[in-house]
Amino acid sequence: MKPIIEPMADRDVVAVARLRVAAFFEGSARTPDEDAAGLRTLLIGDGFETALVARVDDVAVGTCLLVRHELEPAHDLTPWLAGLVVDRNHRNKGIGSALVAAIEAHAASIDVERLYLYTWEARDFYSALG
């Protein structure tokens, strides 16, 4: 089934936070509740930053963000494509590519010409996207 990509809603936050913590913060002290709080702050932002969700059968199975700041320490690079994650059971079905394309479309709609990205593990995935 083809995923539906749309802005994240509050109903998605808990499921997405679980996906994110498992993918990015396993073994750290970060909890799904902490991640959910950060996502909720992003949802009530000014519209520049965005959190998108991929749904299959009305279940959140992936997410990707456009954020002003990523990584530490603070630097002048902005904005960032960040936090792409797709549930293991839904990988290799084009969902990650669709989420990236949707973030790129959002960036273009707000006159952003360049997005920054940092990855090591997914470098082949992003290289294939160009």
Side-chain angles (χ1 to χ4, degrees):
M1 171 168 263
K2 186 175 178 178
I4 295 172
I5 309 290
E6 57 191 6
M8 188 180 303
D10 192 65
R11 70 185 179 112
D12 304 308
V13 168
V14 171
V16 167
R18 286 186 187 128
L19 280 174
R20 289 174 40 82
V21 169
F24 305 125
F25 304 108
E26 189 171 319
S28 77
R30 186 157 179 117
T31 68
D33 287 342
E34 290 169 330
D35 200 66
L39 289 169
R40 286 189 176 99
T41 299
L42 186 62
L43 295 182
I44 59 172
D46 61 9
F48 180 88
E49 294 182 301
T50 193
L52 301 180
V53 66
R55 290 192 191 90
V56 173
D57 293 331
D58 207 37
V59 174
V61 298
T63 188
C64 194
L65 313 175
L66 180 122
V67 295
R68 283 186 177 91
H69 304 288
E70 179 78 346
L71 305 174
E72 294 295 330
H75 45 72
D76 293 335
L77 301 178
T78 189
W80 292 79
L81 183 150
L84 173 64
V85 63
V86 176
D87 178 85
R88 293 183 197 284
N89 296 323
H90 293 276
R91 291 183 184 162
N92 299 311
K93 297 177 182 177
I95 294 171
S97 299
L99 282 162
V100 170
I103 288 291
E104 291 174 332
H106 172 75
S109 77
I110 55 174
D111 297 322
V112 170
E113 295 178 10
R114 176 177 290 180
L115 290 173
Y116 291 92
L117 168 71
Y118 176 81
T119 187
W120 180 253
E121 290 181 14
R123 63 190 178 277
D124 293 339
F125 170 80
Y126 288 107
S127 290
L129 295 178

